[in-house]
Amino acid sequence: MLDSWYENLLVSLLIVAVAFVARVVLGYVIRRSVRTIARRSEQRTGLSGKTAVILAKAGGADPERQARRVSTIGSLLRNVVNVVIVTVSVLTILSVWGVPMGPLIASAGVGGVALGFGAQSLVKDYLSGVFMLSEDQFGVGDMIQVGDLKGTVKEVTLRVTKLEDPSGAIWYVRNGEVLTLGNLTQGFSSTVVDIPVAIDEDPDRVRQVLSEAIAPIATEKAWKDVLMAPPEVLGVGSLQGGTMTMQVLLKTKANQQWGPMREVREYASEAFTAHGIRPPLITRIE
């Protein structure tokens, strides 16, 4: 009897040792794979550092973002490996000590079915979170819009996504409830800036003055890494009342158009004042 107890104890310790070695080996393989995939992602661009960022602005793959995505997936794989190894080890050790597995597995199956019916929304949240992370739909720091809610992603878990809106309020969005999602940070932003002038000004002259005024923005240190193309004067956008509206097209990195928009308006105002181009005419109603 005592020999059998010692034998079971030794087998249990051996199972624990094998599980520990398997966890270490698989963890190493996952970490090594993550580093290799991240390195290959950067090599596919053929560039790194500032040059890679410039390429990403032009629509190419962002090595840093790809590295974060691969790292997130690697973390999920390590968690799955830990759960599987612990579960298998515990069941094996119980079997060694003579605990009947049939009733235990049957009970776990019945309990799992009951839990599944009672926690469908929870399972849905976790599955949606897995797909969101694996597909790189968004990440921490991205500006996203979920339905009527728009904000910056502060934290992403398998169950919920934590958003901060412009007013500073923190919103917790269940991943399973996200049906439509817009990422305002990936890709680029394109916007049109309206510059109003008097309706009787010469459109060609206004366009020339405006083009010369905003041209230096593309080479300024503050904006050259933000703009993806030089500002372009499109021409007259509308004629209404005493106002002629000139339109300027800006193409910037995602969600970074606000600074160049203010700069365009400031340069336009200074140039119009210097060249005597008048603001919109005020129509008085008698």
Side-chain angles (χ1 to χ4, degrees), residues 160-207:
V160 296
T161 297
K162 183 178 177 181
L163 298 180
E164 181 181 7
D165 68 14
S167 67
I170 301 296
W171 299 85
Y172 294 86
V173 182
R174 286 173 45 198
N175 294 332
E177 299 299 319
V178 178
L179 302 179
T180 303
L181 182 144
N183 193 322
L184 309 179
T185 306
Q186 293 180 351
F188 64 90
S189 295
S190 180
T191 186
V192 174
V193 184
D194 292 331
I195 308 295
V197 297
I199 195 170
D200 57 354
E201 291 287 350
D202 182 3
D204 292 334
R205 178 170 177 264
V206 174
R207 181 170 184 169

Side-chain angles (χ1 to χ4, degrees), residues 228-242:
M228 299 179 65
E232 178 184 357
V233 180
L234 301 178
V236 178
S238 65
L239 297 170
Q240 187 175 5

